[in-house]
Amino acid sequence: MKENIFKDYNELSEAVADQVIKQIKNKPDSLITIAGGETPLGTLQILSNRLLNEDIDYSKVTFVSLDEWVSLNESTVGSCRESLNTNLFDSLNLTDEQVVFFDGDAENLTDECKQIDDVINRNDGLDLIILGIGMNGHLGFNEPGIITRKSSIVKLADVTKQVMNKYFDEELKLTHGITLGYEQILASKKIVLMANGARKANIIQIMKDSEISYDVPASILKDSNNFELYIDEEARRLNEKD
Ligand code: PGA
C-alpha cells in the first residue's frame, strides 16, 4: 500500500483532483467513481474548476455511483447524488449517459443494482475509484462484517445511522444503503482512499494495523496493488510513532 501524506485538506484535495484529471487525459472514456460525503468535497470543487477552465475533453467519461441511501435520490439535499450534482455534475453539463447512479428511491432496487453492474461489466471494471472511509471503516455502504460481491442493498451499521444526520437539513431515519460491492471496488484499475482530519486518524490507524478482514472494510483494500492511501497530516497524527 502506497501512502501519500499532505500538509492539509487543500493539498490533499488538489492531489486527488490531479489523479482524476490524469485519468481522464490518459483514457478519455474512463469509468470513474467518486464517493459522496464530506471528504471529497474539496476535490469535487477543484475538479469542476479545472475541467471547465482547462482544455480537457471529459465528454466521454462516465461517472458511476458508489452508493446511495435507500429511499433517497437526487431530490433530497444531502443525498450522495445531490452532493455530486451540486459540486460537480451540474457545472459540467454532462449528458444523461455520462452519469450512472443508484436511485435509492426506485421501486425495484434489484434493477438499480443490475443497471450499475452491467455498466461496470461492459467496461471490464472501473478505471478509477475515489473512496472515503467511514468512522467504522466502511467503504461505500459496505459495513463491517457484511460481505458483498457486486452491487448490493445493505443494512446500515449503528454508527453510520448516528453520523448520517450531518448530511441532511432534517432528521431522517434511514436504515439501508445501496452500494457497489467489494469485487467491483477491488477490480478498479486504480483505487484511492482519501481521509482528512483528526477524527479519521483512529480508523486510519486501525485499517493499517488490522489483518485483512471484512470486519474492517477498508483493510480489504490492502489486498490490491492498485490501492493508494491519500491522507492529510491530521488523519495520520496517531501514526507519528511509526
Ligand atoms: P465522510 O464519509 O466523507 O462524510 O466522512 C465517509 C464515509 O462514510 O464513507
Side-chain angles (χ1 to χ4, degrees), residues 67 132-144 157 160 193 203 217-218:
D67 56 1
I133 182 170
M135 298 300 283
N136 60 0
H138 77 189
L139 297 175
F141 283 129
N142 291 287
E143 301 284 17
T160 304
L193 177 70
I203 189 61

Side-chain angles (χ1 to χ4, degrees), residues 86 97 108 116 132 144 164 173 183 204-205 210 214 221 228-229 238:
T86 302
E97 290 72 37
N108 190 333
I116 301 276
M164 76 185 177
K173 298 248 179 291
E183 208 174 277
I204 288 293
Q205 187 68 48
S210 152
Y214 289 103
L221 300 176
E228 289 191 30
L229 184 62
L238 291 184

Side-chain angles (χ1 to χ4, degrees), residues 35-40 67 132-135 138-140 163 166-167 199-200:
E38 286 179 341
T39 311
D67 56 1
I133 182 170
M135 298 300 283
H138 77 189
L139 297 175
V163 300
K166 70 176 180 169
Y167 301 113
R199 74 193 178 99
K200 291 289 171 72

